[in-house]
Amino acid sequence: MFGQANVLAAGQAGFPPTVDDFYLPSILPWGVEDSYWFTKITAMVWIAVGVLIIFFLATYRNPQLVPTKKQWFAESIYGFVRNNIAVDMIGHAGVRFAPYFTTLFCFVLLTNAFAIIPFFQISPNSHIAFPAILAIISYVLFNYIGIKKHGFVKYFKNSLIPPAPWYILPLLIPIELFSTFIVRPFSLAVRLFANMFAGHMLLLVFTLGGFAMLSANAWLAPVSVLSWVMTIALTFLEFLVICLQAYVFTVLTASYVQGALADEH
């Protein structure tokens, strides 16, 4: 973000920012020009995966009865997801899904947090591809679990045929089909993507807007300062959104798993 601000201040970039600002060039020193094979976004995803693997391996490498600070922190994250998401949403059977939910929660939280971390300042989830892949994984998970428990026929029968009078079923079955197997993964991905996309655009507009006003007219300097103050305020708001969206994505996944396991859903 500040790199773009410097470019704008030098008069080499336009304002306001556009969607094209989300399509970053490759950061590799070789390859085809304008290649998107390995961008800053891709690097952040790999960094997030590496950080999470190293963190949990390091904290549980030599577990203590009286936990260290790192072990306590890791156990607190797992305990929060297990007790407040897996068990609350699914019941005792949700404990076996707690590792996946914890991984999902931590990954979404960390990749979201890149949006406000200096030198990164954009979330991979502001690209629809990454939330879409996460939604597809959750979609495959809850359908697989439902089919495994109930069988293929009974699972889809329970999913598509609600307890209702027979004469209204021709109307309800297409609605259930659309909402369960199309809307769920779509809304799961779009909700995360839209929040992170909008948050990045707001921060970008107020940051670059300050530079634009400052370079356009010296009399607008006080207004440019106000624009940067708004950027700071919005950064704190974005932090809340980052945490909330990680929680919501995990809770919705847990609710879909709970629905797949239910005898009547």
Side-chain angles (χ1 to χ4, degrees):
M1 183 185 301
F2 289 114
Q4 291 170 309
N6 292 333
V7 171
L8 179 66
Q12 299 173 358
F15 183 83
T18 66
V19 176
D20 291 335
D21 293 320
F22 287 81
Y23 296 94
L24 305 178
S26 175
I27 60 176
L28 294 177
W30 63 85
V32 181
E33 187 178 356
D34 297 328
S35 171
Y36 297 98
W37 181 72
F38 193 84
T39 65
K40 178 181 176 181
I41 300 291
T42 312
M44 285 190 284
V45 172
W46 283 106
I47 290 172
V49 172
V51 166
L52 292 176
I53 291 174
I54 293 172
F55 171 71
F56 282 103
L57 284 179
T59 52
Y60 279 93
R61 185 176 184 181
N62 186 25
Q64 305 292 324
L65 184 61
V66 178
T68 62
K69 291 181 179 179
K70 291 187 296 183
Q71 183 181 337
W72 172 84
F73 184 60
E75 289 177 351
S76 297
I77 296 173
Y78 176 77
F80 169 76
V81 176
R82 180 192 63 196
N83 298 328
N84 295 281
I85 297 180
V87 174
D88 280 0
M89 296 297 299
I90 303 174
H92 182 69
V95 173
R96 66 190 177 110
F97 302 107
Y100 171 71
F101 293 153
T102 303
T103 303
L104 182 64
F105 174 78
C106 291
F107 179 78
V108 174
L109 181 64
L110 183 54
T111 50
N112 282 355
F114 281 132
I116 57 173
I117 296 177
F119 304 109
F120 293 109
Q121 293 176 300
I122 187 173
S123 170
N125 296 319
S126 61
H127 282 243
I128 187 60
F130 295 102
I133 291 297
L134 294 176
I136 289 171
I137 294 172
S138 296
Y139 176 78
V140 171
L141 173 69
F142 80 76
N143 281 303
Y144 170 77
I145 290 168
I147 293 171
K148 183 178 180 180
K149 179 178 180 180
H150 302 291
F152 185 87
V153 175
K154 184 178 179 181
Y155 171 69
F156 282 94
K157 178 182 177 182
N158 291 342
S159 300
L160 300 178
I161 305 178
W166 64 268
Y167 51 83
I168 203 173
L169 290 181
L171 176 63
L172 292 182
I173 289 176
I175 294 175
E176 291 292 329
L177 174 65
F178 183 73
S179 64
T180 301
F181 298 104
I182 298 177
V183 172
R184 280 185 179 182
F186 179 79
S187 63
L188 198 60
V190 169
R191 181 182 291 105
L192 177 59
F193 156 72
N195 278 277
M196 300 315 300
F197 180 91
H200 182 74
M201 286 297 288
L202 279 175
L203 293 176
L204 202 59
V205 165
F206 279 96
T207 302
L208 300 185
F211 283 99
M213 288 184 288
L214 189 62
S215 60
N217 192 328
W219 293 101
L220 292 176
V223 183
S224 65
V225 173
L226 178 61
S227 180
W228 292 328
V229 170
M230 282 296 299
T231 301
I232 296 173
L234 287 171
T235 299
F236 286 101
L237 178 62
E238 183 71 359
F239 174 74
L240 296 178
V241 173
I242 284 166
C243 298
L244 180 62
Q245 287 305 311
Y247 177 77
V248 168
F249 195 97
T250 310
V251 166
L252 287 176
T253 300
S255 71
Y256 297 156
V257 171
Q258 186 276 332
L261 292 172
D263 291 328
E264 296 292 339
H265 53 93

